[in-house]
Amino acid sequence: METVDVLVVGAGLAGLHTARLLAERDLRVLVVDRRRSLAAGVRTTGIFVRRTLDDFDLPGHLLGPGVRDVLLYPPSRRDPVHLTSDRDEYRVADMPAVYDHARRAAETAGARVLLGVRYTGITTGIAHLDGAEPVRARFVVGADGARSAVARDLGLDVNRRLLVGAEIIHPSGSATTVPAFHCVLDPRVAPGYLGWVIDDGHHVHAGVAGYPSAMRSGVRHLLSAFTSDAPGLTLPVGPAGPAGPVERRGGPIPVGGVLRRLACPSGLLVGDAAGAVSPLTAGGLDPCLRLSELAATVTADYLRTGDDHVLRAYDGNALRSRFRGRLALRRALASVTSPAAAEAAVALLRTRPGRSAAARILFGDRSFPDVPSPSPSPSPSPVR
């Protein structure tokens, strides 16, 4: 039976980034994902914020033009709050290509990536796989999404507060040269969150997300209702009418903050599996990269020393203490349950204090807290 130092379950951005960092530390890393293609089952809209672009070496040729303008609309779609930054705040990535780039980087570092292989469970250090032979793994990294099977198998915390979202992607039909991000606060189509349209001149992404218990007609029906009159949604029209969507995406989004129990001697969680998503904005790309860096450091240190105390550096409670404000704002957003309340909320954002607060959230540098680096541990003989 093959033995690996680390089995990474899930080949999303969090899993592939963690795998690369671990392989660069000379660990034997295997990544498995049930998808046969990384272009299938993409669950993120691919919006990278400026802080991520500044702090991580992302492939610029896979990112769309910078977006500086954000418009916040009430349910009536009238008189939006228009905010403009003096620098590029968002760029939308070609996520299938970004995943492929991350896979090549992980493999170049020495990790093996197996697609079309489904993780089915782990017993006494042996991971069972559908589509491949079982492997003996010293440690398991759960990067398998908001409803993580690895979390359940390892007895770690699981996400309980979830939004569900859906999005369509069209080629852009806009003649404007100014990309813009349109956000609509309308509980009729996006209860507890937003509808959005972002058009960077290349592609236009239109989506909705909300609490599934309040989406009685289903998220796809609400997406269709939203796109029938969504602001900023300009589609190319040819002889046969509007072009169809390039892609459809959707899935659960954890918004309860980083989970408390993220690690045990058998493994740990990263990305959506760890709840590493901003509770307010529901952005997960920046958190997944930041938490993956800490996860890789802690994992390598733990496997090198065999000291369980090393895992204390990967403590969700310490990270959650930095989310109090965001969790409070998440509760406030969830309380906007009627069009009248949404109209009133946007009216507050039109005031000077409201505009300032909105700009801090949308253009600020604190969408996800900095992840502390663990203190170095002593270096006894490697555990093998």
Side-chain angles (χ1 to χ4, degrees):
M1 183 181 298
E2 180 184 5
T3 298
V4 297
D5 292 312
V6 184
L7 172 67
V8 178
V9 180
L13 196 58
L16 291 169
H17 189 58
T18 306
R20 177 178 69 80
L21 295 172
L22 290 170
E24 289 175 347
R25 290 167 166 84
D26 296 324
L27 292 168
R28 293 165 294 179
V29 181
L30 173 64
V31 183
V32 298
D33 194 293
R34 64 183 180 180
R35 295 174 295 166
R36 296 188 179 277
S37 167
L38 295 183
V42 176
R43 295 187 181 276
T44 175
T45 197
I47 302 173
F48 284 93
V49 298
R50 173 175 47 80
R51 188 169 179 235
T52 318
L53 300 170
D54 289 345
D55 293 349
F56 294 93
D57 185 20
L58 297 168
H61 65 288
L62 301 180
L63 302 171
V67 179
R68 300 187 177 196
D69 287 85
V70 177
L71 292 90
L72 304 172
Y73 296 81
S76 65
R77 315 295 201 264
R78 293 192 296 268
D79 193 16
V81 179
H82 191 165
L83 302 172
T84 302
S85 176
D86 59 0
R87 51 192 174 179
D88 293 343
E89 295 290 347
Y90 305 97
R91 295 180 71 181
V92 185
D94 177 350
M95 285 310 297
V98 167
Y99 288 147
D100 189 56
H101 179 274
R103 175 188 178 178
R104 292 197 306 271
E107 291 176 331
T108 298
R112 285 199 305 129
V113 180
L114 298 181
L115 300 182
V117 173
R118 186 169 64 90
Y119 163 88
T120 59
I122 186 166
T123 53
T124 61
I126 298 175
H128 304 282
L129 307 172
D130 183 4
E133 294 297 318
V135 297
R136 191 182 307 276
R138 297 175 61 206
F139 204 72
V140 179
V141 172
D144 52 338
R147 298 188 177 105
S148 170
V150 172
R152 292 194 300 271
D153 290 346
L154 298 185
L156 300 174
D157 285 353
V158 297
N159 292 293
R160 309 233 177 246
R161 295 181 63 188
L162 299 166
L163 303 177
V164 63
E167 181 184 68
I168 56 172
I169 304 169
H170 291 265
S172 177
S174 175
T176 180
T177 58
V178 180
F181 192 178
H182 304 264
C183 300
V184 180
L185 182 61
D186 187 347
R188 295 171 300 183
V189 294
Y193 191 58
L194 301 167
W196 66 90
V197 174
I198 186 164
D199 185 348
D200 64 5
H202 293 177
H203 290 93
V204 54
H205 295 244
V208 297
Y211 289 108
S213 60
M215 299 176 114
R216 293 182 177 84
S217 59
V219 65
R220 293 195 179 276
H221 175 81
L222 294 176
L223 175 60
S224 178
F226 173 67
T227 55
S228 66
D229 65 349
L233 183 58
T234 306
L235 304 180
V237 178
V246 172
E247 189 178 348
R248 293 184 181 272
R249 298 176 182 175
I253 309 166
V255 289
V258 175
L259 299 174
R260 298 180 186 279
R261 190 161 186 256
L262 296 176
C264 68
S266 299
L268 55 72
L269 308 175
V270 295
D272 283 7
V277 173
S278 174
L280 177 59
T281 66
L285 294 175
D286 183 76
C288 88
L289 291 172
R290 295 187 191 280
L291 199 61
S292 293
E293 303 234 329
L294 176 61
T297 300
V298 168
T299 298
D301 204 11
Y302 171 65
L303 292 177
R304 176 173 56 85
T305 65
D307 182 0
D308 288 0
H309 288 83
V310 170
L311 298 173
R312 293 181 180 176
Y314 203 70
D315 179 19
N317 284 306
L319 289 169
R320 285 185 67 85
S321 66
R322 307 180 184 196
F323 278 93
R324 293 192 184 100
R326 296 169 183 83
L327 287 168
L329 289 171
R330 156 58 35 204
R331 290 190 290 272
L333 184 57
S335 70
V336 179
T337 58
S338 71
E343 292 281 350
V346 176
L348 288 175
L349 295 178
R350 294 191 186 102
T351 65
R352 181 174 294 180
R355 290 177 65 88
S356 177
R360 283 198 302 273
I361 293 170
L362 294 167
F363 301 152
D365 293 328
R366 301 181 63 186
S367 63
F368 192 83
D370 287 321
V371 176
S373 299
S375 302
S377 297
S379 305
S381 300
V383 178
R384 289 288 181 184

